[in-house]
PDB file of all heavy atoms in Angstrom:
ATOM      1  N   SER A 170      63.604 -65.078  -6.972  1.00 95.00           N
ATOM      2  CA  SER A 170      64.494 -65.105  -5.823  1.00 95.00           C
ATOM      3  C   SER A 170      63.898 -65.886  -4.656  1.00 95.00           C
ATOM      4  O   SER A 170      64.599 -66.621  -3.968  1.00 95.00           O
ATOM      5  CB  SER A 170      64.817 -63.687  -5.352  1.00 95.00           C
ATOM      6  OG  SER A 170      65.398 -62.966  -6.396  1.00 95.00           O
ATOM      7  N   LEU A 171      62.581 -65.720  -4.466  1.00 96.00           N
ATOM      8  CA  LEU A 171      61.920 -66.402  -3.385  1.00 96.00           C
ATOM      9  C   LEU A 171      61.984 -67.924  -3.608  1.00 96.00           C
ATOM     10  O   LEU A 171      62.307 -68.679  -2.688  1.00 96.00           O
ATOM     11  CB  LEU A 171      60.459 -65.945  -3.316  1.00 96.00           C
ATOM     12  CG  LEU A 171      59.714 -66.223  -2.006  1.00 96.00           C
ATOM     13  CD1 LEU A 171      60.368 -65.496  -0.871  1.00 96.00           C
ATOM     14  CD2 LEU A 171      58.266 -65.813  -2.140  1.00 96.00           C
ATOM     15  N   LEU A 172      61.756 -68.365  -4.831  1.00 96.00           N
ATOM     16  CA  LEU A 172      61.832 -69.777  -5.145  1.00 96.00           C
ATOM     17  C   LEU A 172      63.255 -70.285  -4.924  1.00 96.00           C
ATOM     18  O   LEU A 172      63.470 -71.384  -4.398  1.00 96.00           O
ATOM     19  CB  LEU A 172      61.374 -70.046  -6.575  1.00 96.00           C
ATOM     20  CG  LEU A 172      59.871 -69.932  -6.813  1.00 96.00           C
ATOM     21  CD1 LEU A 172      59.568 -70.021  -8.296  1.00 96.00           C
ATOM     22  CD2 LEU A 172      59.132 -71.014  -6.054  1.00 96.00           C
ATOM     23  N   LEU A 173      64.223 -69.464  -5.338  1.00 94.00           N
ATOM     24  CA  LEU A 173      65.610 -69.885  -5.209  1.00 94.00           C
ATOM     25  C   LEU A 173      66.039 -69.942  -3.772  1.00 94.00           C
ATOM     26  O   LEU A 173      66.930 -70.724  -3.386  1.00 94.00           O
ATOM     27  CB  LEU A 173      66.494 -68.905  -5.979  1.00 94.00           C
ATOM     28  CG  LEU A 173      67.859 -69.408  -6.345  1.00 94.00           C
ATOM     29  CD1 LEU A 173      67.783 -70.723  -7.079  1.00 94.00           C
ATOM     30  CD2 LEU A 173      68.607 -68.378  -7.180  1.00 94.00           C
ATOM     31  N   LEU A 174      65.426 -69.139  -2.948  1.00 95.00           N
ATOM     32  CA  LEU A 174      65.691 -69.214  -1.512  1.00 95.00           C
ATOM     33  C   LEU A 174      65.033 -70.465  -0.941  1.00 95.00           C
ATOM     34  O   LEU A 174      65.612 -71.161  -0.093  1.00 95.00           O
ATOM     35  CB  LEU A 174      65.154 -67.983  -0.825  1.00 95.00           C
ATOM     36  CG  LEU A 174      65.363 -67.865   0.705  1.00 95.00           C
ATOM     37  CD1 LEU A 174      66.817 -67.678   1.015  1.00 95.00           C
ATOM     38  CD2 LEU A 174      64.578 -66.692   1.256  1.00 95.00           C
ATOM     39  N   PHE A 175      63.860 -70.757  -1.426  1.00 95.00           N
ATOM     40  CA  PHE A 175      63.065 -71.843  -0.820  1.00 95.00           C
ATOM     41  C   PHE A 175      63.563 -73.222  -1.218  1.00 95.00           C
ATOM     42  O   PHE A 175      63.693 -74.107  -0.374  1.00 95.00           O
ATOM     43  CB  PHE A 175      61.597 -71.673  -1.247  1.00 95.00           C
ATOM     44  CG  PHE A 175      60.714 -72.775  -0.757  1.00 95.00           C
ATOM     45  CD1 PHE A 175      60.500 -72.959   0.603  1.00 95.00           C
ATOM     46  CD2 PHE A 175      60.099 -73.637  -1.647  1.00 95.00           C
ATOM     47  CE1 PHE A 175      59.698 -73.986   1.065  1.00 95.00           C
ATOM     48  CE2 PHE A 175      59.279 -74.668  -1.201  1.00 95.00           C
ATOM     49  CZ  PHE A 175      59.086 -74.839   0.154  1.00 95.00           C
ATOM     50  N   LEU A 176      63.916 -73.441  -2.474  1.00 94.00           N
ATOM     51  CA  LEU A 176      64.271 -74.779  -2.934  1.00 94.00           C
ATOM     52  C   LEU A 176      65.361 -75.468  -2.118  1.00 94.00           C
ATOM     53  O   LEU A 176      65.189 -76.599  -1.672  1.00 94.00           O
ATOM     54  CB  LEU A 176      64.602 -74.755  -4.423  1.00 94.00           C
ATOM     55  CG  LEU A 176      63.364 -74.733  -5.334  1.00 94.00           C
ATOM     56  CD1 LEU A 176      63.776 -74.415  -6.755  1.00 94.00           C
ATOM     57  CD2 LEU A 176      62.663 -76.087  -5.270  1.00 94.00           C
ATOM     58  N   PRO A 177      66.508 -74.807  -1.891  1.00 92.00           N
ATOM     59  CA  PRO A 177      67.539 -75.477  -1.086  1.00 92.00           C
ATOM     60  C   PRO A 177      67.107 -75.622   0.373  1.00 92.00           C
ATOM     61  O   PRO A 177      67.704 -76.408   1.104  1.00 92.00           O
ATOM     62  CB  PRO A 177      68.743 -74.518  -1.192  1.00 92.00           C
ATOM     63  CG  PRO A 177      68.435 -73.611  -2.326  1.00 92.00           C
ATOM     64  CD  PRO A 177      66.960 -73.518  -2.387  1.00 92.00           C
ATOM     65  N   LEU A 178      66.123 -74.837   0.767  1.00 93.00           N
ATOM     66  CA  LEU A 178      65.677 -74.927   2.159  1.00 93.00           C
ATOM     67  C   LEU A 178      64.887 -76.193   2.453  1.00 93.00           C
ATOM     68  O   LEU A 178      64.787 -76.632   3.582  1.00 93.00           O
ATOM     69  CB  LEU A 178      64.797 -73.705   2.507  1.00 93.00           C
ATOM     70  CG  LEU A 178      65.476 -72.512   3.163  1.00 93.00           C
ATOM     71  CD1 LEU A 178      64.481 -71.407   3.361  1.00 93.00           C
ATOM     72  CD2 LEU A 178      66.092 -72.907   4.508  1.00 93.00           C
ATOM     73  N   ILE A 179      64.309 -76.779   1.377  1.00 93.00           N
ATOM     74  CA  ILE A 179      63.417 -77.943   1.600  1.00 93.00           C
ATOM     75  C   ILE A 179      64.181 -79.041   2.344  1.00 93.00           C
ATOM     76  O   ILE A 179      63.721 -79.547   3.369  1.00 93.00           O
ATOM     77  CB  ILE A 179      62.893 -78.455   0.259  1.00 93.00           C
ATOM     78  CG1 ILE A 179      62.023 -77.368  -0.396  1.00 93.00           C
ATOM     79  CG2 ILE A 179      62.108 -79.748   0.435  1.00 93.00           C
ATOM     80  CD1 ILE A 179      61.557 -77.708  -1.775  1.00 93.00           C
ATOM     81  N   ALA A 180      65.364 -79.377   1.833  1.00 91.00           N
ATOM     82  CA  ALA A 180      66.139 -80.444   2.474  1.00 91.00           C
ATOM     83  C   ALA A 180      66.537 -80.045   3.883  1.00 91.00           C
ATOM     84  O   ALA A 180      66.508 -80.861   4.809  1.00 91.00           O
ATOM     85  CB  ALA A 180      67.378 -80.721   1.627  1.00 91.00           C
ATOM     86  N   ASP A 181      66.915 -78.775   4.032  1.00 91.00           N
ATOM     87  CA  ASP A 181      67.322 -78.309   5.381  1.00 91.00           C
ATOM     88  C   ASP A 181      66.178 -78.453   6.368  1.00 91.00           C
ATOM     89  O   ASP A 181      66.362 -78.858   7.514  1.00 91.00           O
ATOM     90  CB  ASP A 181      67.767 -76.857   5.291  1.00 91.00           C
ATOM     91  CG  ASP A 181      69.139 -76.725   4.650  1.00 91.00           C
ATOM     92  OD1 ASP A 181      69.591 -77.708   4.053  1.00 91.00           O
ATOM     93  OD2 ASP A 181      69.744 -75.640   4.745  1.00 91.00           O
TER      94      ASP A 181
END
Side-chain angles (χ1 to χ4, degrees):
Chain A
S170 301
L171 197 63
L172 287 173
L173 199 53
L174 180 68
F175 176 65
L176 280 168
L178 264 177
I179 296 174
D181 286 13

